[in-house]
Amino acid sequence: MKKVIKTHNICAREIEYELDNGVVKNVRFIGGCAGNGYGIANLVEGMPIDEVVKRLKGVPCRLGTSCPDQLAKALEEESK
């Protein structure tokens, strides 16, 4: 099932993703820098949630957060 989160204090307006038995699939950043969003999406495709969180949580950009950070935080919530 596709999940959609509204973002705050970053360029992307939303992040869409799917989960399949704890594995991240079909990530898409809506708005923001297309190249960075596409690159992040490709890098995390097929990766377990905990690995994505470990690698991306806390990555800064502006105002103490970033596109990868917000993806990681959303996935972390999913795994609780």
Side-chain angles (χ1 to χ4, degrees):
M1 173 180 11
K2 179 168 69 170
K3 310 275 185 163
V4 178
I5 62 163
K6 300 288 184 187
T7 59
H8 303 283
N9 298 322
I10 61 172
C11 297
R13 297 181 309 275
E14 294 179 344
I15 304 172
E16 299 176 351
Y17 60 91
E18 294 178 26
L19 298 175
D20 183 13
N21 292 317
V23 174
V24 180
K25 306 259 184 179
N26 301 318
V27 175
R28 186 169 165 232
F29 291 84
I30 311 302
C33 177
N36 285 337
Y38 187 71
I40 294 163
N42 280 328
L43 287 171
V44 302
E45 180 70 23
M47 193 178 285
I49 290 173
D50 60 339
E51 187 64 23
V52 174
V53 172
K54 182 174 101 178
R55 291 177 185 222
L56 300 183
K57 187 176 177 186
V59 171
C61 184
R62 53 173 68 184
L63 302 173
T65 190
S66 65
C67 293
D69 180 53
Q70 290 197 22
L71 173 61
K73 288 177 180 175
L75 293 172
E76 186 173 50
E77 284 297 312
E78 292 280 353
S79 66
K80 288 185 178 178

